[in-house]
Amino acid sequence: MEKNYKNGIQKHQFLTNPISALHWSPLVKDLIVSGDEKGVIVCYWHNRSDSQQFFPEPRTVFCLTCSPHHENLVAIGYKDGMVVVIDISRKREVLHRLRGHEDEIHCLAWCPVPGEERLSAWQDELQAVPSEEGKVPNGELTQDTTTKKGCYLASGSKDQTIRIWSCTRGRSVLTLKLPPTKRRGGAVDPAVKERIWLTVHWPPGRATEIVSSGFGGELLLWNLAQPGKRKWTLLGSSEGQNHSRIVFNLSSVKQQDKELLFSISMDRDVKCWDLSTLDCSWTMPSLGGFVYSLAFSPVDTGCLAIGVGDSMIRVWNTLSMNNVYDVKTFWQSIKSKVTALSWHPTKEGSLAFGTDDGKVGIFDTFSSSAKNKPPQISSTYHKKTVYALAWGPPTPPLTSGEEGEQPSVTLYSCAGEGIVFQHNPWNLNGEANDINKVIRDTNSIKHKLPERTEVSWKPDGKLLALGNEDGSIEIFQAPNLKLLCTIQQHHKLINAIRWHHEHGNQPELSYLIASGSINATIYVHNLKSVVESTSESPLTITEPFRTLAGHTAKITSLSWSPHHEGRLVSACYDGTAQVWDVMKEEPLCNYRGHQGRLLSVQWSPVDSDCVYTGADDFSVHKWHISKQEHTRPPQGKKSIELEKKRSMQPKVKAKKKKKPIGQSAGKQDVNDATNGDESMKETLLEENGVLDHEGEKEAQEAELPDKVSTTVSKDTSSSAYDYSSFNLPKPFVTQKAAPVKKDPPKEKPTPDASLKKRKPRSILPFSTFMDHRSKDELHQDCLRLATCLKTKGISTELKRLEDNNEDVSPDLKDCIHLGLFADRDSLHKMIDVEGKHHLENKHPELFQQLMLWKGDMKGVLQAAAERGELTDQLVAMSPMVGYQAWVWTVEAFAKQLCFQEQYVKAASHLLSIHKVYEAIELLKVNNFYREAIVIAKARLRPEDPIVRDLYTSWAALLEKDGHYSMAAKCYLGASSPYDAVKVLSKKGDATSLKTAAELALISGEEELSATLSLRCAQDLLLSRNWVGAQEVLQQHKTLFGQRLVFCLNELLCKCLSERNPCDRKSPVPPCYHSWELNREASFFDMVVEVWQNVLGMDTTERATCAWEQLRQVEHPPCTSNTPPKQVLFHISHDLALAALSCQSGTWDEAVKSILGAVTRSFDAGNFTLMQEICSIILPEGCDDLRHKLDSTNSQSMDACRSLEGFVAYGLLYDLWWNTPKDPPGLQKAVLDPELCPSEQTALEKSCLSGDSSPGETDQTPAGMDENLCNTTEVQKCETQRDSGTNLVDSVDGQSKLKSCKVLLSEEMAVLQNTQRDIAEVQETLAEMIRQHQQQRNNLQENTNGNSQESNLEQSSETELDKPCSDSKQMNGKDEIKQPPTLPELTKQLVSAKQKLAEFPDNLKVLPFPDVLECCLVLLHLGSQCPPELQEQALDLLRKHSSANIYKKAVRRFLT
């Protein structure tokens, strides 16, 4: 059997595609059927080394199964959901193509009972659902008597359905939808696409029952005869019986009177089910990698966590009475080898893990939903493998904070890069801390710290031991990690450090610390004297307390006995575990049961005689100390370590070419004893190389003394036959598997050598073979040849027989190879036979060569084109057939290349037959624009429109993807510079705009260039780069006016920053020009001087031209949402116009421009900026400006008065705010954002324009005045107390107050009051319209008629009452005001508008501060305000404070 198996492998090696499905026929014992990814089905009879190929469908085969009733029937499932049944006999027919599934077929199963007797449940479905499948069969019905009886076929698919197919009718008779069963620990949402593998199994003898896998890991038993929708039953009644991950394979067997089902899952468990009770009889867990870590829970006694190299953690309840293998598996989010484990010291079920790729996380293994709950993963990853994990007390910076705010213990992880991180378990998303920083700070260390390889906390949390790569061990004191001592004993990398437990009778033993390294010796140190030492400087220990010598390789793990004092167990690379009496330095017992190197060890917490070890032989062993025959480790060459190395070396050499990883692993392995490499890293490399030898490890495991199974059989209460069924097959497997693994490496070099010397393959193998037969047969050939030549020749005789429908004699058939010596037709017959032989043996190149010799090149080309097997060589030879054939071949090859997505090569071939446009179009359609343009420009005329089309198409694609620079180059290539400029400016940043502007200038688009330059300059202005802005603007004469604005803006910003220096540094430092400034002159004179000296505004014509340019630019009015830098730029524009007007002597225009700048800052809500501009531009007030105006021009005089008003408005608030020792309440009233004058003045502005919102009108001033009222008394007291230092008493203050007289304008108060009345009426009207619209909408929506209408009227009345009730609360009146009617409102509006029409237009257009607001501020100044101003203010308030917003504020002054 072994020999045949090898032959089978060799036969299948001829297949070029990977095999995706395989099945051994249950009826024909030597038939193996395979399918590959391309859809080729190969039947191989290994006894006679014969094979046949089928190609039913060009699709990927996913599964196949041979019929248990008809030896020629094979069912095939494909990736796209199709199922095909084929006949592999000489008929080679496709019997059925079964369509219905929508996704890949995972499994197929034939019904074990032949025949298709309809069941009642299926009968109902067929009648109820007259589907198209029922009307039109998918396949052709065969008349073969063997298939007339038929058989059902079941298929499971990724589309979550199972279908039962009839093989006589060729269609589906039953569809079963996978139910969304509740998994243990959470429900499955059927809408969610999750990983699923739907395998089906039809148990022998059960025609109406199928077992299938489900979501997660459940198994379902389907009763096909059961009526109704629910036909399934869940296997496994109690919790934990099901698999935890998807099930891949099912198989059943009958044992005596029981029918058993076996299942294999991704969780690596093998489960045995009793189909009569549907319960799990037993579970056998298996491990798929090295056992890197073992850890017993300190809270849940006997709970052992196992970290394995197959990316899974097992948690084994070793104390379970019912099930010896009570194991939970955790795999979510791990995705790498589990190299370290550590249980939380107090929290049950909290298990920390570390992985090969540097990940650290915490699983909750205790909660009911823990199986499906992913772990918490630390956001800080190590760069290399995690070696060790330890829970310990928090160290800085986590020690800061009160108790309860920080965790009591934190997680420490050490990894291959030599760093130890401290993770906060309460905040794993936060950054972990490198404890080396704390060690440096605490101990004032300047030198480089050693790379850490091990971390271990003393159980009481007071001392931390760190093992280093150089062999030293450092002991630190918590919490600040003060270095107490350094142990300089080992000289190579530390692998394991363990502290002695603290619950013994001798307290001094708790200071013992055992350590193991790459050296084979274990050292134990007593740190009691170190801890009790009063020395300030750290000590150095060079002498061990005890030395444990005996191992012959590196130490990987240590564990103190929790039951004894001073007893230690060690795990070693020499393949053994050793128990030591530390105090006597004596070896007690040596365990040699593993077939590999030991990686982890744990002493049982419940049984003092029991130890658990894990190794790289993919197993965990539980063994008893008292039952071991050896006391000390093996010595010298008898060590398993050396045997393992020797046995692995030839395998590594055999895989030299294919697997360099295995080779490097082997090299490391050889040098283990002398090399100082890290053990964990080495082990991980070894695992990658050794995974292939898993069968060998199992074989070795069978040879070892069966200690594990004897222990298990004693502990378990299950029946004996369960375990005997496991143990019996092992020796059988060993005998078969071991030679297969060991022999091939020795034999492999020989075939390699013979391959090199092998002669080239014969092009005429058939005739060569026939000419090397026995002497008698060759003699017969001579006679036959003579006979044929004497008659009419071989080919003529064959043709005559075919024409007469006569049978060809065997003798004549045997003469075909003699065509070599006969006429041409006979030779052609021989060539045809040889060619057919080459095709069958997958050598099409030899077939093509023969056809070339024959002269039938055209047939070769057509056949190759049909099969999609054209090659460069065939295309090169095609011209010998003729020009047309060559063109046709090249076109066919181009199509073939397109299907293979080799578009550039296809285009090159099209060019060879002068199909330039087709080649360009092919490249364009497939987005190879660069190559298409190269061909087009090289082969077409420059004016050909296809070139421009390519550029524009590519540019559009590039623009869509955001590659603007490349798109611009395309537009330039297409002679569209305007589009290039547009696309470059699309990004909108300063550099793009600058480049776009320069490009527009080069292209002659001056206007566009100027626009882009201005945009670029404005962007640079936002980043406070005035130098760059001027450089951009100076290229355009049309932007000279803007240069003046930017210059003024720079000087204004510099002036403002000097007047109000800011403590906070700007992220972008300003880039000013280094101009010489005349600080003595006024601001305008200083600006004009810079304009003339620097910017070249030396003539009146240039100034006039600049004024004309700026006058044409109109900026939108500013609001409180306008950015401050934009407000300042717009103000600079107004001031530049004013400066130009002042220079030309047009003072009327100057006043308007200055007023525009002041009101712009006022409208933007920046009151301080308004004050600063007034003081910079008009430091002495407006008197000087007024004298220069034409007094007959009422428009300019009104503008001047408005400007004076705003200047006085700023002074008035300045006086009020700068009163010494302002009461806190008053400061709040003034500085509160809701009450600041900027808000009030903005409100006033909106009232003036007649479009204020009700919220502003009702709330802001009322709130202001209420606050002012509340704080006036405090202000009075403070003012009287500090009257000696009051600024208003000074002469300067009095003069400022007198200048405020301009604000108390009777005319402006009447105008503003009228505008407020109009706004109030408009607001009420708008509210009424809104109410009416709402009523109409409600009436349309409801059908209740009058009742609804009455409700609406009531609601509208209540809503109309709301403003009245609000005003009632604000005014403090008891009466309820009725809402005004529409005629009353209309009348009020008309009278107010008539009153407004009487005012001059200048007054209505020009803004002015709120007169009543100014009156209130003057009255709030109290005794500091002159009596005549107080009287005037009171008089204005009496006359014009009828509006609701002022009534409450005025009340205290008028009562």
Side-chain angles (χ1 to χ4, degrees):
M1 176 179 171
E2 195 177 311
K3 182 181 175 186
N4 293 335
Y5 180 64
K6 277 194 233 173
N7 290 342
I9 292 174
Q10 289 166 6
K11 188 69 181 177
H12 279 67
Q13 281 173 348
F14 289 118
L15 294 172
T16 54
N17 306 312
I19 295 174
S20 53
L22 195 70
H23 193 235
W24 201 309
S25 170
L27 295 179
V28 184
K29 295 304 179 185
D30 68 334
L31 173 61
I32 300 166
V33 184
S34 70
D36 66 24
E37 291 183 352
K38 297 293 183 184
V40 178
I41 308 297
V42 176
C43 298
Y44 176 65
W45 290 267
H46 63 81
N47 279 349
R48 60 177 192 263
S49 296
D50 187 17
S51 68
Q52 280 190 12
Q53 286 196 6
F54 301 87
F55 190 56
E57 290 288 334
R59 310 163 193 266
T60 301
V61 175
F62 232 67
C63 60
L64 56 81
T65 180
C66 301
S67 169
H69 312 299
H70 311 295
E71 63 181 45
N72 293 328
L73 290 191
V74 177
I76 309 158
Y78 290 95
K79 188 175 181 180
D80 62 357
M82 180 183 275
V83 178
V84 171
V85 180
I86 64 170
D87 183 346
I88 61 169
S89 66
R90 290 184 179 273
K91 293 183 179 180
R92 303 170 70 92
E93 289 180 330
V94 174
L95 300 180
H96 303 291
R97 285 185 173 85
L98 307 172
R99 296 177 178 88
H101 286 295
E102 297 170 0
D103 214 331
E104 54 200 41
I105 307 296
H106 287 163
C107 190
L108 294 167
W110 292 94
C111 180
V113 180
E116 293 187 2
E117 291 77 25
R118 289 192 176 185
L119 299 170
S120 57
W122 305 8
Q123 183 82 35
D124 296 342
E125 182 167 315
L126 288 171
Q127 291 172 355
V129 187
S131 65
E132 290 180 13
E133 292 175 349
K135 295 173 187 172
V136 185
N138 283 322
E140 302 160 1
L141 298 181
T142 174
Q143 297 303 314
D144 195 342
T145 53
T146 56
T147 56
K148 276 183 184 175
K149 193 175 181 184
C151 179
Y152 286 119
L153 175 70
S155 60
S157 166
K158 192 180 179 181
D159 64 10
Q160 303 177 9
T161 62
I162 300 167
R163 285 180 179 261
I164 311 297
W165 307 89
S166 163
C167 282
T168 54
R169 296 186 294 282
R171 64 183 187 80
S172 169
V173 293
L174 185 64
T175 303
L176 306 169
K177 178 74 176 170
L178 208 61
T181 52
K182 292 235 175 177
R183 253 189 305 187
R184 310 288 183 245
V188 176
D189 182 4
V192 176
K193 273 274 187 189
E194 63 172 293
R195 280 176 77 181
I196 180 177
W197 189 271
L198 201 128
T199 185
V200 292
H201 174 68
W202 215 318
R206 300 190 178 206
T208 61
E209 287 185 344
I210 285 183
V211 182
S212 81
S213 58
F215 296 101
E218 307 104 334
L219 295 177
L220 305 167
L221 180 69
W222 301 83
N223 186 349
L224 307 179
Q226 186 172 320
K229 285 189 178 179
R230 174 162 176 157
K231 302 178 187 294
W232 55 271
T233 310
L234 200 63
L235 270 72
S237 54
S238 61
E239 174 147 3
Q241 286 200 7
N242 277 297
H243 288 284
S244 60
R245 301 180 75 175
I246 51 182
V247 176
F248 281 125
N249 214 337
L250 295 169
S251 180
S252 59
V253 66
K254 279 195 174 182
Q255 189 179 49
Q256 296 165 2
D257 57 340
K258 284 192 175 182
E259 195 170 354
L260 302 177
L261 175 77
F262 293 92
S263 58
I264 300 173
S265 160
M266 204 170 168
D267 61 11
R268 291 189 176 269
D269 284 353
V270 179
K271 287 184 181 284
C272 176
W273 305 82
D274 189 340
L275 282 179
S276 57
T277 61
L278 301 186
D279 278 336
C280 181
S281 303
W282 46 260
T283 301
M284 185 174 67
S286 67
L287 306 181
F290 295 0
V291 180
Y292 290 108
S293 181
L294 296 172
F296 270 106
S297 170
V299 182
D300 187 2
T301 311
C303 192
L304 176 64
I306 307 168
V308 190
D310 59 6
S311 308
M312 289 195 278
I313 299 170
R314 276 75 166 181
V315 177
W316 181 11
N317 179 10
T318 60
L319 302 183
S320 174
M321 300 302 291
N322 301 325
N323 180 11
V324 71
Y325 292 125
D326 183 2
V327 175
K328 285 184 183 175
T329 306
F330 299 89
W331 52 270
Q332 291 89 345
S333 304
I334 296 179
K335 300 177 182 175
S336 185
K337 300 167 187 175
V338 182
T339 53
L341 293 171
S342 182
W343 290 94
H344 194 286
T346 54
K347 185 179 177 184
E348 187 171 7
S350 183
L351 176 62
F353 69 91
T355 67
D356 177 31
D357 60 3
K359 186 187 299 173
V360 175
I362 301 175
F363 264 107
D364 178 8
T365 66
F366 184 66
S367 65
S368 58
S369 63
K371 273 195 171 184
N372 303 316
K373 188 178 177 185
Q376 294 176 280
I377 303 290
S378 172
S379 62
T380 305
Y381 277 61
H382 285 283
K383 293 177 183 173
K384 294 188 180 177
T385 304
V386 178
Y387 288 163
L389 293 171
W391 293 89
T395 56
L398 288 181
T399 48
S400 58
E402 297 177 7
E403 279 191 26
E405 292 179 357
Q406 298 293 347
S408 58
V409 287
T410 56
L411 180 62
Y412 296 81
S413 61
C414 175
E417 73 268 33
I419 293 174
V420 177
F421 280 128
Q422 178 186 208
H423 307 264
N424 184 348
W426 290 2
N427 181 22
L428 284 179
N429 288 330
E431 189 175 351
N433 311 301
D434 183 353
I435 67 168
N436 276 349
K437 186 177 184 303
V438 184
I439 292 169
R440 281 185 184 280
D441 294 345
T442 302
N443 301 287
S444 305
I445 295 173
K446 304 295 181 190
H447 60 79
K448 183 188 174 186
L449 292 172
E451 288 186 12
R452 316 295 186 188
T453 59
E454 174 72 344
V455 57
S456 180
W457 278 95
K458 195 168 182 289
D460 62 5
K462 292 179 181 176
L463 298 178
L464 169 66
L466 290 182
N468 301 321
E469 192 182 30
D470 59 8
S472 63
I473 300 171
E474 293 173 313
I475 309 297
F476 298 90
Q477 190 172 33
N480 294 323
L481 302 185
K482 180 189 174 187
L483 180 61
L484 295 182
C485 76
T486 304
I487 302 171
Q488 297 283 3
Q489 202 71 57
H490 300 276
H491 301 293
K492 291 194 176 179
L493 182 146
I494 302 296
N495 278 333
I497 298 175
R498 295 293 181 271
W499 294 87
H500 194 282
H501 59 81
E502 298 192 341
H503 50 264
N505 297 324
Q506 303 176 49
E508 64 272 16
L509 291 183
S510 68
Y511 291 98
L512 294 186
I513 182 169
S515 56
S517 73
I518 285 179
N519 285 340
T521 309
I522 300 164
Y523 294 108
V524 180
H525 293 84
N526 190 342
L527 301 181
K528 191 171 190 295
S529 59
V530 173
V531 174
E532 293 172 354
S533 168
T534 55
S535 171
E536 283 298 315
S537 59
L539 305 172
T540 302
I541 298 177
T542 56
E543 291 298 318
F545 176 66
R546 293 286 186 274
T547 302
L548 308 174
H551 281 297
T552 57
K554 68 178 73 171
I555 309 300
T556 53
S557 184
L558 299 168
S559 179
W560 290 96
S561 166
H563 313 283
H564 311 87
E565 292 184 337
R567 193 159 292 185
L568 182 73
V569 62
S570 58
C572 179
Y573 252 33
D574 63 12
T576 68
Q578 179 67 41
V579 179
W580 307 87
D581 186 333
V582 172
M583 303 309 286
K584 296 179 182 177
E585 297 187 329
E586 285 180 3
L588 299 179
C589 140
N590 183 258
Y591 175 69
R592 305 183 183 183
H594 281 283
Q595 292 298 301
R597 302 165 300 183
L598 271 67
L599 303 175
S600 50
V601 63
Q602 281 285 312
W603 206 302
S604 170
V606 290
D607 185 354
S608 61
D609 192 40
C610 183
V611 175
Y612 292 81
T613 48
D616 67 1
D617 59 2
F618 294 46
S619 67
V620 176
H621 287 194
K622 172 186 176 184
W623 48 274
H624 291 90
I625 298 166
S626 58
K627 295 180 182 178
Q628 306 309 313
E629 58 187 40
H630 301 285
T631 56
R632 57 181 67 248
Q635 297 302 309
K637 291 185 179 179
K638 293 178 184 177
S639 168
I640 293 174
E641 167 70 0
L642 297 178
E643 286 179 23
K644 183 176 180 65
K645 289 176 192 170
R646 203 160 46 245
S647 67
M648 284 181 65
Q649 279 171 9
K651 290 172 190 175
V652 172
K653 286 176 186 172
K655 297 191 176 184
K656 192 171 183 180
K657 290 182 182 176
K658 292 185 181 176
K659 293 196 176 180
I661 293 176
Q663 181 188 10
S664 63
K667 281 180 184 174
Q668 279 188 335
D669 222 0
V670 174
N671 301 326
D672 271 349
T674 54
N675 242 0
D677 289 340
E678 300 150 302
S679 65
M680 185 70 77
K681 186 189 291 181
E682 188 174 342
T683 310
L684 289 162
L685 283 170
E686 280 292 336
E687 181 176 14
N688 293 330
V690 176
L691 276 170
D692 296 334
H693 313 311
E694 194 168 344
E696 182 187 357
K697 290 203 167 91
E698 287 176 4
Q700 292 169 349
E701 189 175 328
E703 292 166 15
L704 69 97
D706 197 5
K707 294 187 174 60
V708 183
S709 48
T710 52
T711 313
V712 166
S713 57
K714 283 181 185 176
D715 292 344
T716 183
S717 57
S718 303
S719 56
Y721 83 88
D722 288 344
Y723 297 99
S724 64
S725 64
F726 287 131
N727 295 335
L728 282 172
K730 276 192 178 178
F732 177 73
V733 172
T734 306
Q735 291 162 13
K736 299 299 173 193
V740 171
K741 291 285 180 180
K742 286 179 182 173
D743 293 340
K746 295 175 186 173
E747 293 173 6
K748 271 187 184 173
T750 352
D752 284 344
S754 64
L755 276 173
K756 288 177 186 174
K757 296 175 186 176
R758 184 184 292 169
K759 293 178 183 177
R761 190 181 298 278
S762 170
I763 200 166
L764 300 166
F766 176 68
S767 63
T768 307
F769 171 75
M770 295 296 280
D771 287 338
H772 284 78
R773 289 177 298 163
S774 65
K775 189 185 289 184
D776 292 338
E777 288 174 307
L778 292 176
H779 289 166
Q780 288 298 322
D781 278 353
C782 293
L783 296 174
R784 286 188 197 121
L785 178 60
T787 309
C788 291
L789 290 173
K790 184 75 177 171
T791 56
K792 298 175 182 176
I794 303 166
S795 59
T796 314
E797 186 66 13
L798 282 170
K799 190 175 180 184
R800 186 187 65 77
L801 292 171
E802 283 172 11
D803 292 342
N804 298 332
N805 290 326
E806 293 177 28
D807 290 337
V808 181
S809 67
D811 286 346
L812 201 57
K813 276 188 178 177
D814 291 339
C815 294
I816 289 172
H817 68 286
L818 299 175
L820 186 64
F821 309 98
D823 58 0
R824 179 182 290 179
D825 290 337
S826 303
L827 181 71
H828 283 179
K829 287 285 182 187
M830 188 191 85
I831 290 174
D832 290 341
V833 171
E834 296 279 8
K836 188 180 178 185
H837 175 78
H838 286 314
L839 284 177
E840 285 174 356
N841 285 282
K842 302 283 185 184
H843 299 298
E845 70 282 356
L846 295 177
F847 165 77
Q848 290 157 10
Q849 204 170 332
L850 270 177
M851 294 301 111
L852 174 64
W853 291 2
K854 183 183 172 184
D856 186 19
M857 198 62 208
K858 191 173 183 181
V860 172
L861 294 173
Q862 286 176 344
E866 285 167 8
R867 290 196 301 271
E869 291 174 357
L870 283 170
T871 62
D872 290 307
Q873 186 185 3
L874 285 177
V875 173
M877 289 191 292
S878 61
M880 64 182 288
V881 185
Y883 177 80
Q884 291 299 329
W886 169 59
V887 171
W888 178 87
T889 306
V890 172
E891 286 178 347
F893 190 43
K895 285 180 184 175
Q896 181 182 312
L897 290 170
C898 288
F899 278 113
Q900 295 165 358
E901 297 184 354
Q902 298 184 47
Y903 304 109
V904 176
K905 189 176 179 182
S908 300
H909 278 278
L910 287 173
L911 284 177
S912 70
I913 55 172
H914 307 293
K915 299 216 167 187
V916 180
Y917 287 100
E918 287 83 348
I920 292 168
E921 186 62 22
L922 172 66
L923 292 171
K924 178 188 170 186
V925 166
N926 293 289
N927 290 342
F928 286 85
Y929 284 98
R930 192 185 297 273
E931 293 79 0
I933 289 169
V934 169
I935 293 172
K937 296 206 78 169
R939 302 292 289 268
L940 301 178
R941 291 174 292 109
E943 61 270 21
D944 198 306
I946 197 81
V947 180
R948 181 183 170 82
D949 179 54
L950 283 170
Y951 277 127
T952 51
S953 302
W954 193 18
L957 186 68
L958 291 164
E959 190 177 343
K960 185 181 175 184
D961 293 339
H963 303 302
Y964 298 123
S965 304
M966 195 66 199
K969 285 195 274 187
C970 288
Y971 282 125
L972 288 171
S975 305
S976 300
Y978 185 86
D979 291 328
V981 173
K982 282 288 186 186
V983 78
L984 259 184
S985 62
K986 227 175 183 183
K987 198 166 186 182
D989 62 305
T991 53
S992 300
L993 290 169
K994 187 177 180 181
T995 310
E998 289 173 6
L999 181 57
L1001 200 61
I1002 294 167
S1003 307
E1005 300 281 350
E1006 297 235 355
E1007 190 176 344
L1008 179 60
S1009 178
T1011 308
L1012 293 170
S1013 295
L1014 183 57
R1015 275 179 61 192
C1016 177
Q1018 287 170 341
D1019 271 9
L1020 290 167
L1021 185 71
L1022 292 176
S1023 59
R1024 307 173 75 196
N1025 183 0
W1026 287 278
V1027 176
Q1030 288 290 352
E1031 285 173 5
V1032 171
L1033 294 172
Q1034 69 186 10
Q1035 298 178 3
H1036 303 278
K1037 291 180 181 178
T1038 54
L1039 296 178
F1040 181 73
Q1042 292 295 342
R1043 289 188 69 197
L1044 303 183
V1045 174
F1046 277 71
C1047 174
L1048 188 142
N1049 180 268
E1050 180 179 348
L1051 295 171
L1052 181 61
C1053 289
K1054 194 183 282 190
C1055 191
L1056 287 169
S1057 64
E1058 287 169 0
R1059 292 167 69 92
N1060 297 299
C1062 185
D1063 295 335
R1064 186 182 53 177
K1065 286 188 178 179
S1066 171
V1068 183
C1071 185
Y1072 293 119
H1073 286 91
S1074 54
W1075 293 324
E1076 290 185 12
L1077 303 177
N1078 183 6
R1079 300 285 183 178
E1080 304 296 324
S1082 68
F1083 180 77
F1084 276 164
D1085 291 341
M1086 178 177 73
V1087 169
V1088 170
E1089 193 175 325
V1090 172
W1091 284 354
Q1092 290 172 345
N1093 297 339
V1094 179
L1095 302 185
M1097 196 190 73
D1098 45 2
T1099 61
T1100 315
E1101 289 77 21
R1102 293 205 73 176
T1104 311
C1105 177
W1107 188 82
E1108 284 294 333
Q1109 285 176 10
L1110 295 178
R1111 195 170 62 84
Q1112 291 170 8
V1113 179
E1114 285 187 11
H1115 292 298
C1118 290
T1119 66
S1120 56
N1121 294 326
T1122 309
K1125 288 181 182 175
Q1126 193 176 330
V1127 173
L1128 208 56
F1129 178 71
H1130 293 172
I1131 287 169
S1132 303
H1133 185 272
D1134 293 331
L1135 293 179
L1137 280 170
L1140 289 167
S1141 300
C1142 290
Q1143 198 201 9
S1144 62
T1146 51
W1147 297 101
D1148 298 339
E1149 292 295 332
V1151 169
K1152 289 178 186 174
S1153 298
I1154 295 170
L1155 178 63
V1158 172
T1159 53
R1160 197 178 286 279
S1161 59
F1162 178 74
D1163 293 346
N1166 199 332
F1167 186 81
T1168 311
L1169 180 62
M1170 186 196 81
Q1171 288 180 308
E1172 291 293 340
I1173 286 169
C1174 289
S1175 60
I1176 290 170
I1177 306 301
L1178 303 167
E1180 303 299 328
C1182 301
D1183 293 342
D1184 187 39
L1185 195 61
R1186 179 181 281 278
H1187 296 322
K1188 294 176 181 176
L1189 294 174
D1190 182 5
S1191 56
T1192 59
N1193 187 340
S1194 62
Q1195 198 171 1
S1196 59
M1197 295 305 288
D1198 287 341
C1200 186
R1201 187 178 72 156
S1202 183
L1203 184 59
E1204 284 175 343
F1206 279 103
V1207 173
Y1209 185 66
L1211 289 172
L1212 176 63
Y1213 270 95
D1214 198 45
L1215 287 169
W1216 187 28
W1217 288 349
N1218 289 327
T1219 305
K1221 293 187 181 179
D1222 287 341
L1226 186 61
Q1227 286 173 2
K1228 181 181 181 302
V1230 176
L1231 298 176
D1232 191 85
E1234 280 191 357
L1235 315 171
C1236 73
S1238 61
E1239 292 288 345
Q1240 298 156 18
T1241 51
L1243 164 82
E1244 177 188 314
K1245 175 77 171 61
S1246 61
C1247 290
L1248 287 168
S1249 58
D1251 59 352
S1252 68
S1253 65
E1256 285 180 306
T1257 311
D1258 288 353
Q1259 292 169 18
T1260 313
M1264 174 198 71
D1265 296 328
E1266 191 173 350
N1267 275 284
L1268 290 177
C1269 297
N1270 293 341
T1271 55
T1272 306
E1273 295 303 320
V1274 185
Q1275 183 200 5
K1276 280 185 180 177
C1277 301
E1278 292 291 328
T1279 308
Q1280 288 166 9
R1281 199 176 299 153
D1282 300 289
S1283 58
T1285 57
N1286 199 328
L1287 283 178
V1288 186
D1289 289 345
S1290 66
V1291 177
D1292 183 40
Q1294 288 296 332
S1295 66
K1296 283 182 180 179
L1297 274 172
K1298 284 177 184 175
S1299 67
C1300 294
K1301 192 170 183 180
V1302 71
L1303 293 167
L1304 305 181
S1305 165
E1306 175 89 14
E1307 188 178 20
M1308 290 309 296
V1310 174
L1311 173 64
Q1312 289 170 0
N1313 220 15
T1314 307
Q1315 288 171 330
R1316 266 193 291 272
D1317 291 341
I1318 290 171
E1320 196 171 327
V1321 172
Q1322 287 173 339
E1323 185 185 311
T1324 314
L1325 277 170
E1327 180 64 16
M1328 288 179 72
I1329 291 165
R1330 191 187 65 77
Q1331 299 263 353
H1332 180 66
Q1333 189 66 38
Q1334 190 177 351
Q1335 286 182 12
R1336 286 184 60 187
N1337 292 343
N1338 290 342
L1339 282 170
Q1340 286 172 7
E1341 287 171 9
N1342 298 306
T1343 54
N1344 292 342
N1346 297 331
S1347 62
Q1348 289 289 336
E1349 198 175 331
S1350 61
N1351 290 340
L1352 286 165
E1353 285 174 6
Q1354 288 173 10
S1355 65
S1356 64
E1357 283 174 10
T1358 53
E1359 283 185 22
L1360 279 167
D1361 287 342
K1362 279 181 186 175
C1364 300
S1365 61
D1366 291 344
S1367 61
K1368 180 194 111 178
Q1369 288 172 5
M1370 292 171 79
N1371 295 327
K1373 293 180 183 178
D1374 294 330
E1375 69 274 2
I1376 297 170
K1377 226 175 157 186
Q1378 291 297 324
T1381 60
L1382 186 60
E1384 286 173 358
L1385 288 170
T1386 311
K1387 189 175 178 183
Q1388 287 176 25
L1389 189 61
V1390 169
S1391 64
K1393 285 193 173 179
Q1394 286 173 352
K1395 196 173 178 183
L1396 187 66
E1398 295 169 7
F1399 290 90
D1401 288 339
N1402 288 343
L1403 286 183
K1404 288 186 277 188
V1405 171
L1406 295 169
F1408 197 85
D1410 192 330
V1411 176
L1412 299 183
E1413 179 192 344
C1414 297
C1415 293
L1416 282 168
V1417 175
L1418 281 168
L1419 291 172
H1420 273 290
L1421 286 170
S1423 59
Q1424 300 157 4
C1425 179
E1428 63 270 23
L1429 282 178
Q1430 281 191 349
E1431 280 300 317
Q1432 198 174 347
L1434 280 169
D1435 186 48
L1436 283 170
L1437 285 170
R1438 285 191 196 95
K1439 290 180 183 177
H1440 305 294
S1441 63
S1442 59
N1444 290 335
I1445 59 171
Y1446 287 103
K1447 283 182 180 176
K1448 190 170 181 181
V1450 170
R1451 199 188 323 153
R1452 67 180 296 277
F1453 295 108
L1454 299 181
T1455 51

